[in-house]
């Protein structure tokens, strides 16, 4: 499948688990570094009736004793409500085995004082491949836009098996939450929807996944079906960015790869974007009133005045070079009609940053497990580029020639009731890959009409190397440059581990 990892990768279970937690640690979003919003639990959950009834009919006719998957929707803090848009079944794993299965065990009836097998009671419980479910959640989360997320799991199973599997379900929810982190904060709750088939009944519970499981970790909440998708408001933003990121001297920081510099830069830009003002349909957003107009609302973000990032990056005395990362991101967000318009702005901002992170993750996933040579820092590595090492793992200090890296392009696919989900295509990938992703990950039919696919990003963000002086020269004179008399082109700068020519210092420009 065109080199793009999907849920059906060939990684072993340990490698998948390592990848899941590597993604969560990537931006400092797990453990104590992750900040959890102290918000109230949602009091009620409303599911999209038209979609959930179709799913109920499909499950009833399937004859399956058990099925597990993801709940896609939104948890709204302003409204203290949860909204369920769709239920997405987790596909079979690499070995073709279901992500969830029933285990039958025999329990002796001690009250009757006999151990006769004919009088023994059968007890059912669940076995869940929670690593696989978490990996599925991670990849589905990439395909969702602002205001939509993986908000929990669902289970189609009998009442007895559900009651006997509370701990297993809790662990699965926790794995899903950790595999789908958001930016700096996250809600401490996820939803657990149980669909019981004897008798047919839907129940919903709040799961507090950040604490050890107790009697209060799973709390029942009101659940009903209604019209959810048709009441959504649509917001769209095309965001142009231009990030200048310093490549620091080795003595001042650890060896930096392209991946490391971009991660730090995206995380830093997320903090700057948080303070941006928003204009929606030509009006500055100043209050929390709801949006009552139909149609697609155009959003423009205004960043506060800041120092020239090129000059600031080049002015650092430990700077070896500057990585300039620029381009545009197209973002969509969906808002319930009763939510304040400021929530749409927050969802747009989050979607922009998550989109940049997702593209970097895709590049890193393709390189996952690749082991390149460890001697790139030696003088014998004349150009600093190894054909055996992915571009994302290149050490920027030692590059000697131009190289380029194109980020995946974001496209949008029709989903439910006029809404869209997204996917990311590498330059070498076609729309056929997009169809495969829709079928495998979202359990939906792939788009058959290419004209329905939105491709607003004409040129995806990209990186190209150029001379350091093309960026640094406008901001320095020979007397003011941090390296002083060593400024002549072609002169070597020696440090404890390498020799780098100034003429070959690099700036990455999109």
């Amino acid at each position: 499948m065109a080199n793009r990892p999907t849920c059906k990768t060939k990684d072993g279970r340990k490698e998948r688990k390592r990848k899941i937690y590597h993604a969560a640690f990537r931006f400092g979003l797990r453990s104590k570094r992750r900040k959890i919003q102290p918000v109230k639990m949602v009091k009620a959950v409303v599911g999209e009736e038209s979609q959930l009834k179709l799913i109920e009919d499909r499950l009833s006719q399937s004859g399956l004793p058990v099925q597990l998957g993801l709940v896609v929707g939104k948890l709204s803090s302003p409204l203290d409500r949860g909204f369920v848009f769709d239920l997405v079944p987790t596909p079979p794993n690499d070995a073709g085995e279901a992500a969830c299965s029933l285990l039958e065990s025999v329990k002796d009836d001690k009250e009757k004082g006999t151990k006769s097998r004919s009088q023994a009671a059968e007890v059912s419980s669940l076995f869940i491949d929670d690593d696989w479910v978490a990996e599925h959640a991670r990849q589905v989360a990439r395909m969702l836009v602002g205001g939509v997320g993986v908000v929990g799991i669902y289970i189609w199973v009998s009442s007895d098996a559900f009651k006997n599997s509370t701990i297993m379900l809790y662990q699965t929810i926790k794995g899903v939450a950790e595999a789908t982190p958001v930016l700096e904060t996250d809600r401490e709750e996820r939803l657990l929807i149980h669909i019981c088939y004897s008798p047919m009944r839907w129940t919903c519970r709040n799961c507090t996944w950040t604490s050890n499981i107790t009697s209060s970790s799973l709390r029942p909440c009101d659940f009903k079906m209604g019209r959810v998708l048709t009441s959504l408001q649509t917001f769209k933003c095309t965001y142009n960015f231009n990030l200048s990121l310093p490549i620091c001297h080795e003595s001042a920081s650890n060896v930096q790869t392209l991946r490391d510099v971009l991660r730090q830069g995206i995380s830093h830009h997320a903090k700057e974007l948080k303070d941006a003002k928003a204009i929606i349909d030509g009006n500055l957003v100043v209050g929390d009133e709801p949006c009552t107009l139909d149609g697609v609302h155009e959003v423009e973000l205004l960043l506060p005045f800041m120092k020239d990032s090129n000059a600031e990056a080049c002015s650092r005395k430990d700077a070896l070079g500057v990585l300039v990362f620029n381009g545009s991101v197209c973002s969509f967000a969906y808002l319930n009609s009763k939510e304040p318009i400021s929530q749409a702005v927050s969802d747009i901002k989050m979607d922009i940053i998550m989109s940049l992170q997702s593209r970097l993750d895709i590049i890193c996933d393709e390189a996952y497990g690749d082991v390149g040579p460890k001697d790139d820092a030696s003088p014998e590595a004349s150009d600093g580029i190894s054909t055996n090492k992915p571009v994302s793992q290149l050490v920027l200090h030692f590059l000697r020639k131009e190289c380029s890296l194109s980020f995946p392009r974001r496209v949008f696919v029709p989903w439910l009731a006029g809404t869209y989900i997204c996917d990311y295509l590498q330059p070498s990938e076609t729309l056929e890959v997009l169809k495969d992703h829709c079928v495998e990950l979202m359990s939906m039919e792939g788009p058959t009409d290419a004209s329905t696919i939105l491709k607003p990003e004409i040129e995806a963000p990209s990186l190209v190397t150029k001379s350091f002086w093309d960026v640094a020269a406008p901001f320095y004179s020979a007397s003011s440059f941090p390296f002083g008399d060593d400024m002549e082109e072609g002169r070597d700068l020696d440090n404890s581990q390498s020799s780098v020519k100034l003429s070959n210092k690099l700036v990455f420009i999109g």
Side-chain angles (χ1 to χ4, degrees):
M1 182 176 290
N3 298 323
R4 166 79 181 278
T6 68
C7 197
K8 293 186 178 180
T9 62
K10 293 184 179 180
D11 295 335
R13 179 177 297 180
K14 291 183 178 179
E15 289 182 293
R16 289 200 306 271
K17 188 171 185 178
R18 181 182 172 190
K19 184 188 297 184
I20 292 166
Y21 293 115
H22 177 67
F25 274 116
R26 187 167 291 160
F27 297 95
L29 297 172
R30 289 194 67 239
S31 190
K32 294 181 180 179
R33 290 179 296 173
R34 188 175 183 181
K35 300 177 183 178
I36 304 298
Q37 279 281 28
V39 295
K40 296 182 292 183
M41 309 286 277
V42 296
K43 298 177 180 178
V45 176
V46 183
E48 173 57 43
E49 184 172 19
S50 60
Q51 186 67 12
L52 297 191
K53 284 298 183 182
L54 288 175
I55 293 170
E56 182 182 291
D57 293 341
R58 172 176 56 79
L59 288 171
S60 299
Q61 298 171 13
S62 68
L64 294 173
V66 61
Q67 185 184 87
L68 184 139
L70 308 176
V71 179
V72 176
K74 183 173 188 175
L75 301 180
S76 174
S77 298
L79 302 181
D80 289 333
R81 280 196 169 194
F83 300 97
V84 175
F85 303 155
D86 196 11
L87 305 182
V88 181
T90 297
N93 61 19
D94 296 330
E97 301 168 341
C100 182
S101 57
L102 276 177
L103 298 177
E104 300 287 347
S105 61
V106 176
K107 181 179 179 181
D108 293 332
D109 192 347
K110 296 182 179 180
E111 293 183 358
K112 295 184 178 181
T114 177
K115 294 186 178 181
S116 170
R117 188 171 181 85
S118 61
Q119 295 180 354
E122 289 189 354
V123 178
S124 298
S125 61
L126 295 173
F127 169 78
I128 302 175
D129 187 347
D130 51 357
D131 293 343
W132 186 251
V133 177
E135 174 64 11
H136 179 222
R138 186 175 75 94
Q139 297 194 38
V140 166
R142 285 181 184 168
M143 301 183 69
L144 304 176
V145 300
V148 186
V150 176
V151 297
I153 64 173
Y154 76 91
I155 183 73
W156 159 268
V157 74
S158 67
S159 179
D160 289 340
F162 180 84
K163 292 177 181 178
N164 294 329
S165 308
T166 303
I167 295 178
M168 178 66 70
L169 290 167
Y170 174 85
Q171 292 172 341
T172 303
I173 291 176
K174 186 172 183 178
V176 166
E178 291 178 334
T180 55
V182 293
L183 297 180
E184 297 179 353
T185 59
D186 191 16
R187 297 181 67 98
E188 61 181 9
E189 64 180 319
R190 292 294 187 272
L191 301 180
L192 172 59
I193 294 180
H194 175 213
I195 313 170
C196 180
Y197 47 75
S198 181
M200 178 64 67
R201 182 173 66 250
W202 292 66
T203 57
C204 183
R205 289 170 172 81
N206 263 323
C207 177
T208 308
W209 65 271
T210 55
S211 60
N212 295 327
I213 185 168
T214 64
S215 58
S216 61
S217 296
L218 293 173
R219 300 179 181 179
C221 62
D222 294 335
F223 180 82
K224 65 179 182 180
M225 298 186 189
R227 298 176 61 185
V228 176
L229 293 172
T230 55
S231 64
L232 295 179
Q233 300 280 343
T234 304
F235 296 81
K236 179 183 177 183
C237 177
T238 299
Y239 178 70
N240 300 313
F241 65 96
N242 190 338
L243 309 181
S244 294
L245 314 173
I247 303 169
C248 298
H249 197 277
E250 205 173 352
S251 61
S253 64
N254 295 327
V255 174
Q256 292 178 300
T257 63
L258 173 61
R259 177 180 57 190
D260 297 331
V261 176
L262 282 176
R263 284 177 187 162
Q264 294 172 8
I266 292 172
S267 296
H268 178 72
H269 189 62
K271 299 176 183 178
E272 296 178 344
L273 193 61
K274 185 177 180 180
D275 295 329
K277 300 297 183 181
I279 294 177
I280 297 181
D281 297 334
N283 300 313
L284 182 67
V285 177
V286 293
D288 284 340
E289 67 279 358
C291 182
T292 58
L293 300 178
D294 294 329
V296 178
H297 304 284
E298 296 291 338
V299 180
E300 182 180 358
L301 297 178
L302 305 177
L303 287 172
F305 288 107
M306 293 178 291
K307 296 179 181 179
D308 188 300
S309 57
N310 275 335
E312 187 175 5
C314 292
S315 66
R316 293 185 54 158
K317 293 183 180 298
D318 59 347
L320 283 174
V322 178
L323 186 150
V324 180
F325 177 36
N326 60 15
S328 64
V329 174
C330 182
S331 171
F332 277 89
Y334 295 105
L335 186 76
N336 184 273
S337 58
K338 295 182 180 179
E339 289 183 285
I341 199 169
S342 59
Q343 184 63 48
V345 177
S346 298
D347 291 341
I348 283 283
K349 292 176 180 179
M350 183 176 294
D351 182 62
I352 290 170
I353 296 300
M354 295 303 291
S355 177
L356 291 176
Q357 290 181 351
S358 293
R359 299 177 213 225
L360 182 57
D361 286 348
I362 289 170
I363 292 175
C364 294
D365 282 351
E366 290 189 345
Y368 184 80
D370 293 347
V371 179
K374 302 299 183 182
D375 59 352
D376 286 353
S378 66
E380 289 77 14
S382 60
D383 59 6
I385 300 175
S386 169
T387 56
N388 296 324
K389 177 171 285 189
V391 175
S392 63
Q393 295 181 5
L394 293 178
V395 178
L396 297 181
H397 303 77
F398 310 119
L399 293 179
R400 298 293 187 275
K401 63 168 60 173
E402 288 191 4
C403 66
S404 62
L405 176 62
S406 295
F407 270 50
R409 182 163 52 103
R410 193 181 201 185
V411 296
F412 297 89
V413 184
W415 187 38
L416 303 172
T419 61
Y420 286 88
I421 57 174
C422 73
D423 200 3
Y424 299 91
L425 295 182
Q426 295 279 35
S428 61
E429 292 180 328
T430 65
L431 294 180
E432 290 300 319
V433 176
L434 174 61
K435 296 178 182 179
D436 292 339
H437 293 168
C438 289
V439 173
E440 288 187 7
L441 299 176
M442 297 297 294
S443 190
M444 58 179 277
E445 294 184 4
T448 56
D449 184 359
S451 64
T452 62
I453 301 173
L454 302 183
K455 295 174 281 187
E457 296 182 356
I458 305 301
E459 294 184 5
S462 62
L463 302 170
V464 180
T465 64
K466 290 187 179 182
S467 166
F468 176 79
W469 300 109
D470 290 344
V471 171
F475 309 109
Y476 292 103
S477 62
S479 60
S480 64
F481 192 71
F483 298 114
D485 295 336
D486 289 335
M487 183 176 160
E488 301 97 291
E489 184 170 342
R491 181 84 174 265
D492 284 350
L493 285 180
D494 295 326
N495 57 40
S496 60
Q497 296 188 22
S498 64
S499 176
V500 182
K501 289 189 175 182
L502 284 176
S503 60
N504 292 323
K505 288 183 180 178
L506 306 174
V507 53
F508 286 70
I509 290 186

